[in-house]
Amino acid sequence: MSRIQTNHDAKPIGRPDIALLWFLIPFKAMKNLVCNQYRWLVIKLVFLLLLVAILGLFVYNMPGYMVKKMLGA
């Protein structure tokens, strides 16, 4: 009776490491550009957009709340 030896250190057959490289290169370039050069500009821009959105929602909803307050509803 012979025993079958398995190699547990063998790398499983699958997709090569370079298969998605063409897809990831633009994202890596954008990450390096945004994270290194324009980090604070992006953070300030996102904060400003959130502030404008909150202010816009406040202005949009304020007349309805004022009418409810005046009518006692």
Side-chain angles (χ1 to χ4, degrees):
M1 231 186 193
S2 66
R3 297 184 130 207
I4 299 173
Q5 292 182 348
T6 59
N7 187 0
H8 294 287
D9 296 331
K11 189 174 182 180
I13 299 172
R15 201 178 292 162
D17 293 338
I18 200 164
L20 295 175
L21 189 61
W22 64 272
F23 184 70
L24 294 176
I25 287 174
F27 292 114
K28 287 182 181 180
M30 286 301 294
K31 184 189 83 156
N32 288 333
L33 181 70
V34 170
C35 289
N36 294 337
Q37 293 181 357
Y38 300 112
R39 177 184 300 153
W40 292 111
L41 179 66
V42 170
I43 290 172
K44 289 176 188 177
L45 188 64
V46 167
F47 181 74
L48 183 66
L49 287 174
L50 285 173
L51 190 64
V52 166
I54 290 170
L55 186 63
L57 286 172
F58 175 76
V59 169
Y60 177 76
N61 290 318
M62 195 60 198
Y65 289 129
M66 288 177 62
V67 169
K68 284 183 181 180
K69 189 75 167 176
M70 286 191 300
L71 296 177

